[in-house]
Amino acid sequence: MVTNAHTDRSAELSRLCCSCGCCCDGSLAFWATLEPDQVAAAKHCGLDVREASTEVGFRIPCPQLVNLRCAVYDHPGRPRVCRTYLCWLAQRFVDGSVTAEGVAIIIREVNELKSAAAKRIGARLAASWARGAKRCYARPGTEQDALPNAKRQQFGGWLANVLGATDEDGVLNAQLLETLLAAGCLLNREFVWPADARERMLHRDREAAAPSTET
């Protein structure tokens, strides 16, 4: 029996993505843009489609995310943006620079951090605040993971206003703060595309789409 390596790798990527959920629970983004021809299908899939000032899309967390898995994953109307999106971790798996075992370890670590935070503030807020913590860090490759004290204090001040984030004395729970910052750091380092890598990918796509000049 001949094994199709590409098919096997695609199936493995799908399995890994279905164990993650970061792109759908609000950990990485709060909005997904839809192409015009995808709007009707997205609505049919039960997505929260909204019209912004310049675009149409749906809000994240996605209502179809159930236990880290997309409830419409195999639906023919599932939006193209969902089918084609690759975070930096998934892209590195596709390129072969990270193994499936390595991807699984990173996914498990970030989900354990969010689960720990969720015990105090709930899963939805845990993902949202992990995304906020992610934004406190510089883009990958630009500086170390250490967060300047000013940013740490600013983030902590915002977090202290969240129900469940403070202890009985009204002081922000230190463990919650560190857990969310660790989740944000991990998301930033492993899931967010470095600017130079994203630009190389876009340049490659533009070249592939350009009409040939050969005669």
Side-chain angles (χ1 to χ4, degrees):
M1 178 179 179
V2 178
T3 301
N4 187 317
H6 177 73
T7 300
D8 289 347
R9 198 164 188 81
S10 296
E12 183 68 1
L13 178 60
S14 293
R15 185 190 68 78
L16 290 167
C17 286
C18 288
S19 71
C20 180
C22 284
C23 64
C24 305
D25 72 354
S27 297
L28 295 177
F30 62 89
W31 177 263
T33 301
L34 289 167
E35 298 170 41
D37 67 332
Q38 297 284 290
V39 172
K43 290 181 178 179
H44 186 65
C45 285
L47 303 184
D48 185 17
V49 177
R50 305 287 184 92
E51 289 190 21
S53 57
T54 59
E55 61 187 15
V56 178
F58 60 93
R59 298 178 67 178
I60 303 172
C62 178
Q64 295 292 4
L65 182 66
V66 181
N67 295 326
L68 299 182
R69 181 176 172 83
C70 175
V72 293
Y73 193 82
D74 297 318
H75 193 287
R78 181 168 167 249
R80 192 175 300 119
V81 64
C82 302
R83 296 176 183 276
T84 61
Y85 174 77
L86 287 179
C87 68
W88 180 232
L89 181 61
Q91 180 61 48
R92 286 179 291 154
F93 173 72
V94 171
D95 291 343
S97 58
V98 181
T99 64
E101 291 77 13
V103 172
I105 289 171
I106 293 169
I107 289 173
R108 183 168 61 250
E109 183 177 353
V110 73
N111 281 333
E112 286 177 350
L113 288 168
K114 288 187 294 183
S115 293
K119 292 177 181 178
R120 291 194 67 100
I121 61 175
R124 189 183 184 99
L125 284 176
S128 175
W129 280 92
R131 183 181 76 245
K134 169 181 68 68
R135 296 186 63 184
C136 290
Y137 291 89
R139 285 289 188 180
T142 58
E143 66 178 46
Q144 298 298 317
D145 287 339
L147 191 65
N149 283 333
K151 282 191 175 182
R152 175 184 291 268
Q153 292 173 2
Q154 183 182 50
F155 180 77
W158 293 332
L159 181 61
N161 295 312
V162 177
L163 183 65
T166 58
D167 294 323
E168 292 181 358
D169 57 4
V171 176
L172 175 65
N173 182 270
Q175 185 175 3
L176 175 65
L177 173 62
E178 295 306 319
T179 297
L180 286 172
L181 288 175
C185 181
L186 187 61
L187 287 167
N188 181 70
R189 185 177 67 242
E190 302 291 353
F191 291 79
V192 179
W193 280 68
D196 58 342
R198 172 62 70 183
E199 182 56 36
R200 288 196 300 271
M201 175 65 75
L202 292 174
H203 179 71
R204 188 174 69 185
D205 290 346
R206 286 193 294 265
E207 285 191 332
S212 174
T213 57
E214 294 182 3
T215 57

